C-alpha cells in the first residue's frame, strides 16, 4: 500500500494538528533571551525549547478539555514592552500607564499574620521598596545568582519539561523572577505574604516566583492576587480584558515542610473581563511535606494548574481547592500529581460552588510510576450546584503502573439538601441565611486547611459576600 493510501485510511481516533508557536513569538523570544540578563538565558532557553515542542493550545488539547481555547489565545502573543520599573516609593504614572499601589491599597491586602513580612509584585515585577521582610526569608531575583546550583539545575529541568504553553511563556517573559529561600533547619517566626498586583492594562503580565525550602526547614507562604481598580481607562482594554499569568515553582529539599496558601482576587469588577492563569509546580525530596490551598471566586476565565512530583521516598503532598462562582464566571483546575518513588502519600480535595450560569471543572490525574510501590493516594471532587444553568465537570484519573498501592478517587455533584435547609429554617434562620450557612459549611473542609485565622477570615468573608446576593435567586431554581 502506498504512503498516500496509508494516510487516507480511516482512524478510530481523530488526530488534531499540533499548532506551532506564532511567527511573532518565534521572532521575539530569541531576541528577548539574547537581550536579557545572561543569568536568565539558560532557564528561558529551556522553556522556549519546551514551548516549541508543545505548541500552542488548540481545541483538541487534552489539557484544555473544558476550556474554550479561543478565549485566551489572542493574549498569548509577545507581551508589551512597557512595564512599571522597580521603585523605592509609589509614583503616579501617566494616564493609561501601569501604576503602583498606593499605601492604602497595599495595607488593604495585608493579613494579620504577615503585617511585617510581605513582598510586592506589580505585573510580575518585584518592588523591593514596597516590600518588607525579616532575616528568616532570603529574597532576591534569579538574575542575582543566589539560588544554589542544584536548585537552579532542577528549575532548568522543570522548564525543559514544561508541557503547559502558558506557563512556559511565563518562564520566558517574566522580567526577573523572584526567588524566596528558607535556609536549612530554619523555622521562620511567621508566614511570608506575596502580593501580586495586576494593573489590568489590556495586555498580558507574566511572573515567575521560585520558592526554595532548605533541608529540615518549616515555612509558610501566603499569596494574594489583586487588581488595581482604576488602572484601566482604555475602552479597548475594558472590552478585551487582560491576562495575569503567574507561575510558582516550589523546590522542597530533604525533610522540609511548606504550607502554600493562595487566594485569588475578590469582589473586583475586573473579574468579569480579565483572565487569570496560575500554575503551581512543586518537586518534593525525601521526607518533605507540602500542603497547598487555593481559593478564589473565578473570573471571565481562571485556570489553576498544579504539577507536583513526589521525587523522594517518604514525601507527602496535600492539594486543596475551593471556588465559589457567580454570573458567567469560570474556574478550571488542572492537576497532574506524579508518584515517582516508593512510600509516598498524596491527598487531593476540590470543592466548587456554582451559581447562575457559571462553569467549573477539575481535571485531575494521579500517576504512579512502575517502581513507586507502597503508594497511598486519593482524590475527591465535590460540586455544589445552586442553579440549573450552572455547569461543573469532573475528570478524575488514575494511571497506576505499580501493583502494591492504595489509590482511590471519587466525584459528586448535587444541590443543597432540602432536609438540612428545612432543619435550619425550623430553628429560625431565614432561607437565605440557611442556604449561606450550608454553602459555607460545604467548602469549610477546604478552607480549614488554611490554618491561619486572618487568612481564613479573608477567604470566609470573600466567598460568602460573593454569594449573598445570589442565594435568593438560586433558591427559586432549587
Amino acid at each position: 500500500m502506498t504512503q498516500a493510501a496509508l494516510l487516507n485510511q480511516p482512524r478510530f481516533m481523530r488526530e488534531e494538528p499540533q499548532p506551532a508557536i506564532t511567527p511573532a513569538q518565534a521572532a521575539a523570544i530569541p531576541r528577548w533571551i539574547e537581550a536579557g540578563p545572561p543569568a536568565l538565558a539558560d532557564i528561558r532557553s529551556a522553556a522556549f525549547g519546551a514551548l516549541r515542542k508543545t505548541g500552542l493550545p488548540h481545541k483538541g488539547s487534552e489539557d484544555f478539555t473544558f476550556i474554550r481555547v479561543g478565549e485566551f489565545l489572542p493574549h498569548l502573543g509577545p507581551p508589551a514592552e512597557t512595564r512599571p520599573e522597580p521603585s523605592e516609593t509609589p509614583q503616579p504614572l501617566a494616564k493609561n500607564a501601569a501604576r503602583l499601589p498606593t499605601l492604602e491599597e497595599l495595607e488593604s491586602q495585608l493579613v494579620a499574620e504577615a503585617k511585617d513580612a510581605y513582598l510586592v509584585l506589580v505585573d510580575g515585577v518585584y518592588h523591593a521598596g514596597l516590600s518588607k521582610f525579616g532575616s528568616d526569608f532570603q529574597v532576591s531575583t534569579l538574575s542575582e545568582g543566589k539560588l544554589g546550583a542544584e536548585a537552579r539545575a532542577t528549575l532548568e529541568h522543570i522548564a525543559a519539561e514544561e508541557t503547559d504553553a502558558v506557563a512556559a511563556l511565563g518562564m520566558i517573559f517574566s522580567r526577573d523572577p523572584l526567588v524566596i529561600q528558607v535556609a536549612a533547619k530554619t523555622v521562620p517566626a511567621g508566614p511570608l505574604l506575596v502580593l501580586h498586583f495586576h494593573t489590568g492594562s489590556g495586555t498580558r503580565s507574566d511572573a515567575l516566583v521560585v520558592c526554595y525550602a532548605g533541608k529540615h526547614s518549616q515555612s509558610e507562604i501566603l499569596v494574594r492576587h489583586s487588581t488595581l481598580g482604576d488602572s484601566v481607562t482604555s475602552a479597548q482594554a475594558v472590552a478585551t480584558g487582560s491576562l495575569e499569568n503567574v507561575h510558582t515553582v516550589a523546590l522542597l529539599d530533604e525533610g522540609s515542610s511548606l504550607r502554600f496558601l493562595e487566594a485569588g482576587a475578590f469582589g473586583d469588577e475586573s473579574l468579569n473581563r480579565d483572565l487569570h492563569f496560575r500554575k503551581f509546580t512543586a518537586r518534593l525530596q525525601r521526607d518533605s511535606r507540602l500542603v497547598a490551598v487555593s481559593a478564589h471566586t473565578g473570573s471571565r476565565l481562571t485556570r489553576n494548574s498544579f504539577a507536583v512530583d513526589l521525587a523522594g521516598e517518604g514525601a507527602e503532598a496535600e492539594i486543596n481547592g475551593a471556588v465559589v462562582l457567580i454570573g458567567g464566571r469560570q474556574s478550571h483546575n488542572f492537576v497532574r500529581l506524579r508518584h515517582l518513588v516508593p512510600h509516598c502519600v498524596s491527598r487531593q480535595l476540590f470543592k466548587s460552588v456554582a451559581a447562575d450560569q457559571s462553569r467549573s471543572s477539575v481535571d485531575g490525574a494521579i500517576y504512579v510510576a512502575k517502581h513507586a510501590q507502597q503508594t497511598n493516594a486519593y482524590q475527591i471532587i465535590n460540586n455544589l450546584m445552586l442553579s440549573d444553568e450552572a455547569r461543573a465537570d469532573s475528570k478524575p484519573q488514575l494511571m497506576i503502573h505499580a501493583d502494591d498501592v492504595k489509590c482511590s478517587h471519587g466525584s459528586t455533584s448535587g444541590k443543597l439538601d432540602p432536609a438540612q435547609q428545612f432543619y435550619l429554617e425550623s430553628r429560625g434562620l431565614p432561607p437565605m441565611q440557611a442556604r449561606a450557612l450550608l454553602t459555607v459549611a460545604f467548602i469549610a473542609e477546604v478552607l480549614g486547611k488554611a490554618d491561619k485565622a486572618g487568612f481564613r477570615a479573608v477567604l470566609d468573608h470573600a466567598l460568602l459576600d460573593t454569594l449573598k446576593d445570589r442565594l435568593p435567586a438560586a433558591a427559586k431554581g432549587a
Side-chain angles (χ1 to χ4, degrees):
M1 188 177 292
T2 65
Q3 181 74 7
L6 284 171
L7 292 175
N8 289 326
Q9 289 296 304
R11 291 178 172 83
F12 291 102
M13 295 183 67
R14 183 180 64 182
E15 294 185 359
E16 293 285 350
Q18 185 69 28
I21 61 176
T22 66
Q25 289 168 332
I29 292 175
R31 293 199 304 267
W32 175 270
I33 296 174
E34 184 178 354
L40 301 181
D42 290 345
I43 305 292
R44 287 174 169 175
S45 296
F48 183 35
L51 179 64
R52 284 185 295 187
K53 266 194 306 187
T54 302
L56 295 178
H58 54 88
K59 64 180 181 179
S61 296
E62 280 278 328
D63 295 359
F64 295 86
T65 302
F66 304 111
I67 298 178
R68 300 185 187 95
V69 175
E71 287 192 48
F72 65 87
L73 276 181
H75 293 271
L76 297 188
E81 292 295 324
T82 55
R83 296 285 186 91
E85 295 301 325
S87 171
E88 292 300 319
T89 57
Q91 297 291 332
L93 302 181
K95 192 175 182 181
N96 295 334
R99 67 170 180 84
L100 301 179
T102 65
L103 181 61
E104 291 75 14
E105 289 170 327
L106 178 57
E107 290 181 343
S108 69
Q109 297 300 309
L110 299 180
V111 296
E113 296 88 356
K115 285 191 176 295
D116 296 315
Y118 53 87
L119 308 177
V120 176
L121 294 90
V122 180
D123 284 350
V125 178
Y126 170 55
H127 291 261
L130 298 177
S131 304
K132 182 180 181 181
F133 55 92
S135 59
D136 289 337
F137 295 92
Q138 302 167 12
V139 179
S140 63
T141 58
L142 192 58
S143 64
E144 294 179 46
K146 295 183 179 180
L147 185 65
E150 186 177 348
R152 188 180 179 88
T154 302
L155 179 62
E156 186 176 340
H157 178 72
I158 289 173
E161 281 195 332
E162 186 58 70
T163 58
D164 186 324
V166 183
L169 288 169
M171 300 187 85
I172 294 169
F173 286 111
S174 176
R175 286 286 173 148
D176 198 354
L178 179 65
V179 177
I180 303 169
Q181 300 187 76
V182 179
K185 299 181 180 179
T186 299
V187 181
L192 179 67
L193 176 63
V194 180
L195 298 173
H196 287 277
F197 288 96
H198 181 57
T199 61
S201 54
T203 59
R204 187 181 81 242
S205 66
D206 300 283
L208 173 61
V209 179
V210 181
C211 306
Y212 174 75
K215 290 183 179 181
H216 305 291
S217 65
Q218 297 180 29
S219 54
E220 294 179 300
I221 294 180
L222 315 179
V223 180
R224 292 196 68 180
H225 297 264
S226 178
T227 300
L228 295 179
D230 59 352
S231 299
V232 178
T233 56
S234 163
Q236 181 179 1
V238 172
T240 62
S242 58
L243 189 150
E244 179 200 35
N245 181 25
V246 178
H247 189 178
T248 303
V249 178
L251 307 176
L252 279 65
D253 213 331
E254 180 180 340
S256 64
S257 174
L258 173 65
R259 183 178 292 272
F260 182 85
L261 313 178
E262 184 171 34
F266 297 123
D268 196 320
E269 192 60 33
S270 67
L271 295 178
N272 296 324
R273 67 168 184 266
D274 290 343
L275 303 90
H276 301 273
F277 278 64
R278 298 167 189 142
K279 181 164 188 178
F280 180 75
T281 300
R283 190 168 182 87
L284 283 66
Q285 301 301 332
R286 177 183 291 271
D287 296 326
S288 59
R289 187 168 190 271
L290 168 71
V291 176
V293 180
S294 172
H296 61 93
T297 55
S299 66
R300 173 184 160 192
L301 174 60
T302 292
R303 184 178 191 261
N304 287 328
S305 180
F306 300 86
V308 179
D309 284 352
L310 303 177
E313 290 193 32
E316 295 185 21
E318 185 176 340
I319 311 298
N320 306 278
V323 58
V324 172
L325 303 174
I326 61 173
R329 293 180 186 175
Q330 299 183 51
S331 169
H332 303 277
N333 286 293
F334 183 82
V335 186
R336 291 295 180 266
L337 196 151
R338 302 194 299 180
H339 286 256
L340 304 178
V341 295
H343 307 292
C344 291
V345 177
S346 70
R347 295 175 289 273
Q348 298 179 45
L349 176 62
F350 287 89
K351 296 202 173 191
S352 66
V353 179
D356 303 327
Q357 298 81 39
S358 59
R359 294 176 57 205
S360 73
S361 73
V362 179
D363 184 337
I366 299 172
Y367 171 85
V368 181
K370 182 178 180 180
H371 302 293
Q373 305 294 350
Q374 294 290 307
T375 285
N376 190 337
Y378 76 82
Q379 176 192 71
I380 299 295
I381 304 170
N382 299 133
N383 303 305
L384 177 61
M385 318 301 292
L386 296 185
S387 79
D388 293 331
E389 292 77 28
R391 175 171 175 171
D393 294 290
S394 300
K395 187 181 177 183
Q397 304 174 69
L398 292 177
M399 294 176 279
I400 302 173
H401 300 277
D403 54 13
D404 185 8
V405 302
K406 292 182 180 179
C407 296
S408 64
H409 62 186
S411 175
T412 65
S413 296
K415 296 184 177 183
L416 290 174
D417 187 340
Q420 293 179 348
Q421 183 174 346
F422 174 77
Y423 175 82
L424 293 178
E425 291 181 20
S426 69
R427 295 303 184 270
L429 286 180
M432 186 181 76
Q433 189 174 347
R435 292 180 66 86
L437 186 60
L438 290 173
T439 302
V440 172
F442 172 77
I443 57 175
E445 185 178 0
V446 172
L447 301 184
K449 307 286 185 179
D451 195 32
K452 288 296 173 185
F455 199 78
R456 168 70 189 270
V458 168
L459 300 182
D460 282 342
H461 288 297
L463 298 180
L464 181 57
D465 289 347
T466 299
L467 278 175
K468 67 181 181 181
D469 295 330
R470 296 303 198 278
L471 290 169
K476 297 175 184 178

